Amino acid sequence: MELLFIPFSESTKYAAAIPMAGYSREYHNFVKKRYGMSSGFLELRDNGKLLSIVPVCHNDSTLYAFYKEYTEPKTFDASPIAWNEVADLARKKLKLKSAEFYFAGIHEAEYRGMKSTGFSTYVFRMKGITDGDAIRSRFHNRTRLHKAERFGFDFRIIGEESLHAIYDLYLENMHRHGTPPRSLGFFQDLFACFGKACYGISLYDKDVLAGLNLMVSTNGYARMHFNISKKEYWEHCVNNLLYVKTIEHALASGVSLVDFGGAPDTDTSHNRFKMGFGLERVPLQKVFAGSYIHRIPAWMKNKKRNLTIRITKLKRLFRPVKP
């Protein structure tokens, strides 16, 4: 097997190969601006014949497919590919210490040499969907949707002009969950790199931003980055209506695949909520190549983050705070 890394500037012909994260200029611009990484595509060939491509990015030590995202390879041949061997070959080829690939099974059910992550994403495929009635025909329960519609939320598509309202609501949600928030700069970089392809599906109650799904959409693929809402509007089923409006807007925009993001397989109540909208569960798979000693800093950082969340929740048991 032959493997070649091609910088994105020299491989733009692959930019719309499949509707998935990593197959557009915006994703590559974002990892460069936000994380200072180089990016492009790996070409896998056998005796000169192109077998597959996969979008990747890397820093001085690790190759990712794709950093802080899951993606999928585009295959051109039915020959089986052992992705654990590809990851190991790639890190050696680029003289890096390790390689991490995270794939979703949206276009192919299984990837040889990869293992389950214990997480899944949830997607809505537009195949066979022609209008709003066809969308709603997939829903398991419409009672809460009707309740949200009766409340009279104002539906709006918002963008960077509403950044501070978006970030305020985001901080409110992270505080409620006890989760360390991302910086305002993260959101500024999203809008800077994705432009109008980054937008909010929002619901307002007069001048109050009641709920929002923050999306990025490229090459017919729409990905939800955050679902955030005010707790006082839960009784009015704000999140149910957000999901519906997200799918309806995607249909009107020519999107073929709506990805509502990953969640632990153990989060049964949240996952059941998603599947109630006719979403398909797609397991996420991973492979790691290199010495596990190189994963220790990331492992420690993740452990520290989880410990912070647990401590925050324990404090709230003894000192309740308002949402």
Side-chain angles (χ1 to χ4, degrees):
M1 181 184 295
E2 306 142 23
L3 188 147
L4 182 65
F5 171 77
I6 307 176
F8 185 80
S9 59
E10 301 173 19
S11 56
T12 54
K13 62 182 178 181
Y14 296 139
I18 58 173
M20 198 67 209
Y23 284 88
S24 72
R25 182 180 300 277
E26 291 89 344
Y27 278 98
H28 293 261
N29 287 346
F30 183 73
V31 296
K32 181 179 181 180
K33 181 178 180 62
R34 186 69 191 165
Y35 306 112
M37 291 191 180
S38 301
S39 65
F41 288 89
L42 287 180
E43 280 189 353
L44 280 66
R45 294 180 179 271
D46 185 19
N47 293 322
K49 182 180 181 181
L50 183 61
L51 302 179
S52 181
I53 59 169
V54 59
V56 294
C57 51
H58 68 86
N59 52 27
D60 292 337
S61 62
T62 305
L63 178 72
Y64 300 94
F66 201 74
Y67 190 61
K68 293 188 179 294
E69 287 283 354
Y70 43 85
T71 187
E72 290 190 41
K74 167 65 176 177
T75 56
F76 300 92
D77 188 89
S79 302
I81 298 173
W83 287 100
N84 55 329
E85 296 176 6
V86 171
D88 195 45
L89 179 61
R91 75 171 183 90
K92 292 176 180 176
K93 179 84 173 180
L94 296 175
K95 298 181 180 180
L96 299 173
K97 295 177 180 178
S98 61
E100 299 179 22
F101 291 1
Y102 289 85
F103 291 171
I106 294 174
H107 298 89
E108 292 187 27
E110 187 175 349
Y111 293 95
R112 184 179 168 191
M114 304 191 80
K115 299 179 179 179
S116 171
T117 63
F119 283 70
S120 298
T121 190
Y122 293 80
V123 301
F124 190 97
R125 300 179 192 268
M126 289 297 179
K127 186 175 181 180
I129 297 295
T130 56
D131 55 29
D133 290 339
I135 291 173
R136 296 178 184 225
S137 69
R138 292 190 184 178
F139 298 169
H140 297 177
N141 188 330
R142 305 181 199 179
T143 303
R144 292 185 177 182
L145 173 58
H146 295 326
K147 183 177 181 180
E149 289 175 327
R150 287 196 299 270
F151 181 78
F153 286 109
D154 180 19
F155 166 59
R156 304 178 194 174
I157 303 296
I158 60 177
E160 189 174 11
E161 77 285 348
S162 302
L163 175 59
H164 290 288
I166 293 171
Y167 192 64
D168 286 346
L169 182 58
Y170 167 76
L171 289 179
E172 180 181 321
N173 278 245
M174 296 303 101
H175 176 70
R176 186 171 66 234
H177 298 156
T179 303
R182 295 179 183 270
S183 68
L184 177 63
F186 175 85
F187 292 82
Q188 291 171 328
D189 288 346
L190 267 182
F191 281 111
C193 294
F194 284 87
K196 292 188 180 300
C198 180
Y199 56 91
I201 302 291
S202 69
L203 295 174
Y204 276 78
D205 178 19
K206 299 182 175 62
D207 293 328
V208 177
L209 178 57
L212 171 108
N213 284 351
L214 185 64
M215 311 293 296
V216 296
S217 180
T218 59
N219 300 336
Y221 170 76
R223 167 86 155 83
M224 185 177 77
H225 273 252
F226 300 104
N227 165 247
I228 50 180
S229 59
K230 287 186 173 292
K231 191 173 182 179
E232 55 264 38
Y233 290 99
W234 289 0
E235 63 180 291
H236 303 295
C237 306
V238 62
N239 288 309
N240 296 68
L241 190 55
L242 279 174
Y243 269 60
V244 174
K245 291 299 184 183
T246 299
I247 297 170
E248 290 179 343
H249 179 266
L251 176 65
S253 303
V255 169
S256 60
L257 187 70
V258 188
D259 185 343
F260 284 91
D265 293 339
T266 54
D267 190 0
T268 53
S269 60
H270 191 199
N271 297 338
R272 191 181 304 115
F273 171 82
K274 290 185 176 183
M275 294 182 73
F277 296 93
L279 306 189
E280 174 189 341
R281 173 180 170 268
V282 178
L284 302 180
Q285 302 161 56
K286 66 179 179 179
V287 65
F288 175 82
S291 172
Y292 276 85
I293 196 170
H294 301 305
R295 301 191 72 182
I296 291 177
W299 178 82
M300 291 181 65
K301 184 178 180 180
N302 189 53
K303 288 295 181 183
K304 181 180 178 180
R305 179 178 181 274
N306 290 337
L307 180 61
T308 301
I309 293 172
R310 290 190 180 98
I311 290 173
T312 301
K313 290 181 177 179
L314 282 172
K315 286 181 178 178
R316 291 181 178 185
L317 290 176
F318 301 99
R319 189 182 62 189
V321 296
K322 295 182 180 180

